[in-house]
Amino acid sequence: MTEAVRPSGPAVPSIRSLWNAYKALDAGASNSEEDEDKLARRRQLWMNLSESLGTRQLLLNFQSGRPVLILRPPPDLVNFSRPRWPIECEVISDIIQHIEWEPPDPEPFYKPSGHELTPIPSGDERGKMVYCTDFAPKHLYFTCSCVGGSRDSTRSTTTLVKPSDVTLEFESRFESGNLQKAVQVGDYDYELTLRTDMYTEKHTQWFYFRVRNMKAGVTYRFTITNLMKRSSLYSQGMRPLLYSERAAKENRVGWQRAGSDIRYYRKCSQNIAEKNDAAISLYSLTWTLQFPYDSDTCYLAHCYPYTYSRLQRYLKQISSNPAVASYCKVWILCQSLAGNAVYVITITSRGTSQGDVRNRKAVVVTARVHPGETNGSWMMEGFLDFLLGDSDDAKVLRDNFIFKVVPMLNPDGVVVGNYRCSLTGRDLNRNYKTLLKDSFPCVWHTRNMVERLMAETEVVVYCDFHGHSRKNNVFMYGCNSRGDASIKLQERVFPLMMSKNASNKFSFKSCKFRVQKSKEGTGRIVMWKLGVKNSYTMEATFGGSTLDDRGGTHFTTGDLKSMGFYFCDTLLDFCDPDQTKVQYCLTEVSALLRKEIKRKMSKNLVTDGNFSLSDLETSTSGSNSSDSDGHPVHLLHQQKGPEKTPFKKKKKKLRSRRERNRFQLEQVRSNTEAKVLESSTNTIDSSLSHKSIDGERNREILVGEQRRKWQLNGLMGKSGISTPTTHAGEVSQATLWQGCKSIKVMKKKEDRLQWLVIFLYGSIQGFSTSVTDVTKTTQRSMDQKASSEADVTSFRSHGQNQKAHTTMMPP
């Protein structure tokens, strides 16, 4: 609530006299003729009042007859204007919308026969070009934008097609469309080239284009020739999507999986010079298709399209609903590089007092930082549908949390049909640490919003919705806890709960929690370093599920929306004042982690028995964006000039011997995390067993209900929400911890670690001595059972210098 300010000075008498005149108008009797006169005089009085105030930012109010100034509430700045495009983009005037439709049965994966063809690319020389457009031919970087794009130069990009011709007509110059070229290499065979992300030469994965002038029952073949990812879900049974306007109009059938003879393979170029000069390996996707109707208008896509215009229609709908508007406000967070609005939604119920709202904790959810990952927008819409609904669970969430939602972080990339980058030619999800507010406004303002929010209250969960092109199912990436052992493994509880609530879609096994240096600019890690303990990226596959009754079937838009529902449901479980479920999941996570440690060590994947927690997991990389790091493309080009030098990447310097030794010492210290992990999990077990509140009975009840929907205990509506802790009562499952020999194995390796630490310390200090002196110096602190010959061998295997006769050792 805005604080009131009492005016003072010479303005008070004039304001009071004007106010008395205003009240006198209300006091007198009135009739229909006098009402118009009073209304005119009221307007004049308000104008005089405004002039007396001398500003439009203040409003005048009166309390107990005394004038009080209040700040004018912010105007409704939300606008839903048409998308802005880079000035050089050609855009057709057609308005394209698709209906939503759910297939009656899950659509199965394609099963390869082993006889799929591998077409050899023919190229432009041997075929007939039927569609070609240069989406950004005028500039190498973004300069300016306009509403609706450029239509002055919108010309027919297809070759002249006679009415009797059977050649397909292609088009992609519409919102989120992505097709640069189509070449007819046979009567019903077409080679397609996708446009790379604007102002880059990379990132081809997303495709979305229109086809006309087809014949029903004819088998057409499409081959995309410039994909850049080494592996793809198309090799695991994923099918492209087909939309028929006639089927939608006549049968209310929307997007459906289609295609046969699907193969994803490395492109074999016929051009020898291209083989020698190409720096990037290209891959091809080929499939055959039969259209359902003659002369139909059809669309083909990589995933279910979700455009910026669709988001605007959705936000306009909820903004116009008076019931929803009482607890949901749509604002504009900032303007994108092209001038498109980046919307932020604040969702929370009206409290009984201002303090009631301020005491609520916050949840931040974002999506679509990568424009080609449309499945993130479908999950976001499901999340908003649940949160804005009339259910009791939704009301509980609104009563206890403040939700800050940014549904589309990269509207520019969505509009032009990019897969990964913004108009800077850079991946926004590697630039959350940026100081370039004008170049990366969307992520800069999002980070700033979270920082300001954290100064007022605790952010319980941050989650960014994404899509994944190489793995099936839905899963999460998180950040390993560090520091206090009491919060160890806490970050794994929320994903485990998700896997229980959505057991046939969400895979906890696929979740990773590594904090990689190459990902330090992502929203997940930046928010975690700001202090959000539960910071996640939720990845939804472009394909489908391999779990339970949904195994081997594609995801639909309904499946993706349901993940938004499950996210809300899991949030209720995670923040329930009764922490029984949290403690149960924490115990299960500890047992799973110990089991994984045993498995890794039994396979001898780490020869010396020393490894960190990160060694238990593979990389969290779904796509390498290192080539999209760095300064924005337009700044790089503006920097170049007769008196300016371009930005240059720093060459990686070779390490000196001292630096190498210091690096090895740091590696040794990090490898001791495994022992810290063992002790921390034991600490968790002991804390779980200190309090006994019928924990065994609660555990048996939960075990019996793992496959069913967990029920709320009904306490959230009356009690304040508390963040999960690791000290609530639960009897430890000691049987899950027995038989693990990892600590013993590490103790057997302790002597080797002592040798290595002493050796590296000596190397850094710069003292020299002989191997014999090293043996004499350390013999007193080592286990008497270990032989000196074995120790020297271990010492040499852990980084002895090439000169065997001397080493570095403190006196």
Side-chain angles (χ1 to χ4, degrees), residues 712-760:
L712 285 173
N713 296 318
L715 300 177
M716 292 187 65
K718 299 180 180 180
S719 303
I721 298 297
S722 60
T723 53
T725 63
T726 60
H727 301 289
E730 174 79 8
V731 176
S732 173
Q733 297 181 349
T735 56
L736 297 177
W737 299 82
Q738 295 176 356
C740 183
K741 300 180 181 180
S742 56
I743 296 180
K744 295 181 180 180
V745 174
M746 291 180 184
K747 287 182 178 179
K748 291 180 181 180
K749 302 297 182 179
E750 185 175 358
D751 295 339
R752 296 184 181 181
L753 279 175
Q754 291 178 357
W755 274 105
L756 180 56
V757 172
I758 292 172
F759 161 66
L760 293 176

Side-chain angles (χ1 to χ4, degrees), residues 6 16 19 23 61-68:
R6 297 190 183 278
R16 184 167 293 167
W19 178 251
K23 289 193 297 183
N61 201 349
F62 281 79
Q63 295 179 358
S64 302
R66 301 190 63 179
V68 176

